[in-house]
Amino acid sequence: MARDSVDAHNQRWGKLLTDLDFDVEGAVTRMYLITRHLKRNREAVLAAHGLQGFELETIHALAGRDVPYRAGPSELAAELRMSPAAMTGRLDGLEKRGFVRRLPSDTDRRKVDIELTPAGLAAWHEAMDVLGEEEERILGVLSAAERRQLADLLRQVNLAAEDPGTIDLP
């Protein structure tokens, strides 16, 4: 099997940390490096498409809903874990760009709903297509069965990471 930069990392640190578990260190370091690579790719793709990360995050939240891609501002703020005031500012900018529009709520005339516009949906599709190409490229070195196995194994690791009872912060 081919060696990567993490093998050299483990070899270097293994000399200093004699109790180092190479499998744990290797897996964590590789996850970090892959995540860092995807983040840099994401930033470049967004810049090329004239989008900011927070803009994609917001239109992504709307695009994930059924047609007509609507949600209330408070619902979006809660989903994106931000204050309603910050969400208002974000929506103002997206509305100016023509990516979303505010409409009277169907259920409460005192409220508004936020709807993703065709321009917002197109911007989302364009960015997601390019982001998906890089994800497919790097995971394309695995067979379909290996990708399924990796996804299942990472689910187990993620469940442990998401378990709030296991976090022991100082």
Side-chain angles (χ1 to χ4, degrees):
M1 177 174 285
R3 295 177 52 81
D4 66 2
S5 63
V6 178
D7 293 316
H9 166 89
N10 277 352
Q11 186 175 18
R12 182 174 54 252
W13 286 104
K15 293 175 186 173
L16 299 170
L17 305 170
T18 56
D19 61 344
L20 181 67
D21 183 325
F22 291 111
D23 292 330
V24 171
E25 181 68 13
V28 169
T29 303
R30 286 180 178 100
M31 285 188 286
Y32 168 76
L33 291 174
I34 293 166
T35 301
R36 190 173 74 176
H37 168 80
L38 290 172
K39 182 179 179 183
R40 283 194 308 250
N41 180 69
R42 183 178 191 270
E43 291 167 356
V45 167
L46 292 179
H49 285 83
L51 290 170
Q52 304 241 358
F54 69 86
E55 291 175 317
L56 181 65
E57 179 183 56
T58 308
I59 61 177
H60 185 73
L62 285 166
R65 288 168 165 71
D66 290 333
V67 175
Y69 311 114
R70 284 187 192 165
S74 297
E75 184 182 353
L76 287 171
E79 180 179 332
L80 298 175
R81 294 183 175 102
M82 55 190 308
S83 72
M87 178 55 67
T88 298
R90 186 178 283 195
L91 293 172
D92 289 345
L94 288 169
E95 189 173 37
K96 285 178 186 167
R97 294 196 64 189
F99 292 156
V100 301
R101 67 177 146 245
R102 289 175 167 99
L103 300 169
S105 171
D106 291 337
T107 59
D108 186 339
R109 67 182 191 162
R110 297 169 295 171
K111 296 182 179 182
V112 297
D113 283 335
I114 306 304
E115 181 177 86
L116 191 59
T117 64
L121 187 60
W124 176 77
H125 272 293
E126 289 171 14
M128 295 305 291
D129 287 348
V130 177
L131 291 171
E133 287 172 9
E134 182 60 8
E135 293 167 359
E136 290 285 333
R137 185 190 73 79
I138 65 174
L139 289 172
V141 300
L142 303 176
S143 69
E146 289 169 328
R147 287 192 301 271
R148 168 56 47 210
Q149 182 181 21
L150 177 62
D152 290 343
L153 292 170
L154 289 172
R155 180 181 302 107
Q156 288 178 300
V157 173
N158 194 48
L159 285 168
E162 288 179 343
D163 182 356
T166 62
I167 298 173
D168 187 24
L169 299 175

